Amino acid sequence: MENAENKGNTRFVKGAAILAAAGILSRLIGVLFRVWAYDILGEAGMDFYEIVFPFYSWLLIISSSGIPAAISRLVAERVALGDHAGARKVFIKSLWLMVGIGLATTAVLFFGAGWFATALAQRPPEYAIAFRALAPALFFVSLLCAYRGYLQGVQRMSGTGLSQIAEQVFKVVFALILARLWLPRGIAWAAAGVLVGVVISEVRALGIMMIFTAMNRHVLMPSGASRVPQNGGRVIGPMLAIAVPITLGASVLPLAGVADVWLINSNLAAYMTQEAVKQSYVVLSTNVRSLINLPAGITVALAMSLVPAIAAARARKDEAGLKNASLLGLKLSMAVGLPCTVGLFVLGGPIIQMLFPRIPPESLALATDLMRLASLTVVFISMAQTATGALQGLGRQWLPVLFMLIGAALKILSSAILLRIPAVNIFGAPISNIICFGVAGILDTIFLAHYAGLKLNVWDVFGKPLLGSALMGGILYFGYKLLYALRPGSMMALVATLLGIAIYLVLVFALQMFKKTELALIPGGRKLSRFAKE
């Protein structure tokens, strides 16, 4: 049992490491993509791009959250029992389901483009072109998510990581080429070119995933007789039972994001000019949120890896493996979320100035202040994402739904109140996000500890990363000032960021944040385990 437990935990952390590396790299490319797109489109063009994504993300949740999680869990359970044919059957049935979902969501965004643009986003009718340009991506992402769910279930994360990176690379190439080619037609067409490039990138990523699966078919889908009934309802039924609550929970936040678009634009317009409203929205969406979402690449990977790892441990009735995976995932999320929060708080402004050299001074000042506030959401996002993945693996998928509903309701309520106050204006949006994720993340973590039977050592799980992050932040604050005084320039933000990472890694071992047994589960961690306690 111990060998199976160690093997399962090692596979979980390796899978998380692969997805985290791919997630961080793809998100870095995504940030650079926004930087280059901003350089071509400016604030006016980025408004076309940013206004459509809350609606796209809402529809995308249907295919990208619940069903892939359900696929990975059902596949992991069958593979744990040696039923590889049953795992293949889950994948095939889910693929057909995703075809229908992809077609339906594409139709909603394409044919509802005019209403989304004018009634909800409160933009002129020409903004509908952005919605229609992006709509086909929903179909191809749906199919892509079916493949990713299967590969996560068999804990072969390299294919998912490869497709994520390819998706971002192709997006940069095709979107920016089309934007420059279509720019002479006007800023709306240039923005549409960026969005068509996104569609092309999804098509290419799907092709890579299909080729990867076909080339590794003998490993990913070994032959054998199925041990599950042939009735397709026995696959679709359990899949929907898992997917529906997860999808409902995951759709809460995108729906709140859609409400945010309406609340921000309608409330700010009461005391600000239309141009000032657009400027505030683009600064928040492009300059701030793109960086805030960067650390989520790691915690999303942890959450995605926790679902099959914990589901497999449950299927084997491996209580120790279940507890270890849950605890290690929570510790890793804190060790990532807290330093990222502090780093963005201290260096957010200089990093924005480095990445967006064409940003107007007034927009930079606004972005810096927004970043200091919005950075506080990172640690709560880390808690919520990781604990949600663990609760899904435990079969408690309705709990994150309930907690996110509570958080989203508080978010919408606080946004509706704060955005009406001229002295608060756009800052009401990040404040409401802190409330939302703070409530959801804390409740998720409390109930994860209860249902996984964890006895959390507060100092070990939360105190050490908090102390390490605070020490790093203090050194970083004065270190950046010294570096900038010695050699003024925006690149000092990059130097200071690398310095902060190095300082925090030293503090990880100085404060003994992980035990030897935990480091041994991390790829390459055995070489570092001599610096840790038993």
Side-chain angles (χ1 to χ4, degrees):
M1 178 66 71
E2 184 178 353
N3 289 336
E5 172 192 327
N6 289 337
K7 184 177 179 181
N9 283 332
T10 301
R11 192 160 50 235
F12 149 63
V13 180
K14 285 183 177 178
I18 291 170
L19 286 181
I24 284 293
L25 182 56
S26 63
R27 283 172 187 264
L28 278 171
I29 297 171
V31 170
L32 292 175
F33 167 74
R34 270 184 158 87
V35 170
W36 294 325
Y38 185 94
D39 189 59
I40 298 171
L41 302 177
E43 286 187 347
M46 288 304 294
D47 190 53
F48 278 87
Y49 179 85
E50 297 291 1
I51 207 72
V52 69
F53 264 89
F55 302 90
Y56 172 78
S57 299
W58 164 52
L59 291 170
L60 186 62
I61 284 297
I62 298 173
S63 57
S64 66
S65 60
I67 294 179
I71 296 169
S72 68
R73 178 173 156 185
L74 293 175
V75 168
E77 289 173 350
R78 282 160 172 75
V79 170
L81 299 174
D83 186 11
H84 297 286
R88 289 198 308 275
K89 183 176 182 179
V90 170
F91 170 67
I92 293 169
K93 294 288 183 181
S94 66
L95 194 59
W96 282 109
L97 180 62
M98 292 303 238
V99 168
I101 291 174
L103 290 172
T105 51
T106 295
V108 169
L109 190 62
F110 187 89
F111 293 108
W115 183 72
F116 288 139
T118 57
L120 294 181
Q122 299 193 338
R123 293 295 190 269
E126 58 263 29
Y127 273 69
I129 189 176
F131 290 82
R132 294 193 178 102
L134 189 58
L138 288 164
F139 174 74
F140 298 107
V141 175
S142 296
L143 301 184
L144 186 59
C145 287
Y147 280 90
R148 286 176 176 169
Y150 182 83
L151 293 182
Q152 288 156 22
V154 296
Q155 298 198 36
R156 302 285 180 174
M157 308 302 185
S158 54
T160 297
L162 179 64
S163 70
Q164 286 177 342
I165 295 170
E167 186 179 348
Q168 293 297 326
V169 171
F170 287 131
K171 182 170 73 172
V172 169
V173 173
F174 290 106
L176 298 184
I177 288 175
L178 287 175
R180 289 197 180 276
L181 287 176
W182 293 1
L183 185 58
R185 300 185 182 185
I187 199 67
W189 276 95
V194 171
L195 295 167
V196 170
V198 173
V199 177
I200 296 173
S201 72
E202 302 297 353
V203 176
R204 296 283 182 142
L206 174 61
I208 287 175
M209 184 67 90
M210 294 173 71
I211 292 170
F212 177 87
T213 304
M215 291 177 64
N216 296 276
R217 187 179 181 86
H218 63 289
V219 175
L220 300 175
M221 299 181 178
S223 59
S226 177
R227 302 178 187 179
V228 297
Q230 295 302 309
N231 181 0
R234 299 298 295 272
V235 172
I236 300 298
M239 184 181 300
L240 293 178
I242 298 169
V244 169
I246 295 174
T247 301
L248 288 175
S251 66
V252 170
L253 202 57
L255 274 172
V258 170
D260 239 11
V261 173
W262 183 79
L263 287 168
I264 289 172
N265 287 281
S266 61
N267 284 297
L268 296 190
Y271 50 84
M272 295 170 64
T273 66
Q274 186 63 34
E275 288 306 311
V277 172
K278 289 183 179 181
Q279 178 196 35
S280 297
Y281 185 77
V282 170
V283 166
L284 178 65
S285 301
T286 300
N287 305 126
V288 176
R289 282 180 178 166
S290 58
L291 294 178
I292 291 297
N293 292 332
L294 191 58
I298 298 177
T299 51
V300 164
L302 289 172
M304 291 167 68
S305 295
L306 276 173
V307 175
I310 292 178
R314 283 184 69 222
R316 296 193 305 266
K317 301 187 183 302
D318 179 8
E319 186 175 344
L322 186 151
K323 289 183 178 180
N324 288 343
S326 300
L327 182 59
L328 182 55
L330 187 57
K331 289 181 72 172
L332 286 169
S333 72
M334 288 297 97
V336 171
L338 283 168
C340 288
T341 291
V342 173
L344 287 171
F345 183 91
V346 174
L347 290 179
I351 291 173
I352 291 171
Q353 188 174 20
M354 177 185 69
L355 293 175
F356 300 93
R358 291 184 57 193
I359 186 172
E362 63 276 12
S363 295
L364 176 61
L366 176 61
T368 301
D369 291 338
L370 283 170
M371 179 63 79
R372 291 196 184 107
L373 188 58
S375 64
L376 300 177
T377 60
V378 174
V379 64
F380 294 123
I381 291 173
S382 299
M383 291 175 66
Q385 287 176 332
T386 306
T388 293
L391 286 169
Q392 289 170 2
L394 287 167
R396 304 284 178 174
Q397 54 266 23
W398 278 107
L399 283 175
V401 176
L402 174 62
F403 301 148
M404 189 53 73
L405 275 171
I406 295 171
L410 292 173
K411 169 185 166 65
I412 293 172
L413 178 62
S414 57
S415 288
I417 295 171
L418 294 171
L419 290 168
R420 291 175 181 268
I421 305 173
V424 178
N425 59 75
I426 191 66
F427 291 91
I431 291 172
S432 68
N433 274 341
I434 294 171
I435 295 171
C436 172
F437 284 108
V439 169
I442 291 170
L443 289 175
D444 282 336
T445 301
I446 290 171
F447 278 81
L448 169 61
H450 172 71
Y451 285 108
L454 301 178
K455 294 181 179 179
L456 294 181
N457 183 321
V458 175
W459 168 246
D460 196 44
V461 177
F462 304 103
K464 290 179 180 180
L466 181 59
L467 177 59
S469 300
L471 290 172
M472 178 205 71
I475 297 171
L476 206 53
Y477 176 78
F478 293 104
Y480 174 73
K481 284 185 173 295
L482 178 61
L483 288 169
Y484 193 84
L486 293 173
R487 191 184 180 94
S490 60
M491 289 305 294
M492 286 301 101
L494 176 60
V495 175
T497 300
L498 296 175
L499 176 64
I501 294 171
I503 291 169
Y504 185 73
L505 288 176
V506 171
L507 290 169
V508 166
F509 293 102
L511 295 172
Q512 301 289 333
M513 291 187 194
F514 297 97
K515 300 176 183 177
K516 284 183 180 289
T517 52
E518 292 170 335
L519 284 174
L521 298 174
I522 300 173
R526 291 186 182 276
K527 297 178 181 178
L528 302 174
S529 61
R530 57 183 176 169
F531 299 109
K533 292 182 179 180
E534 294 295 339

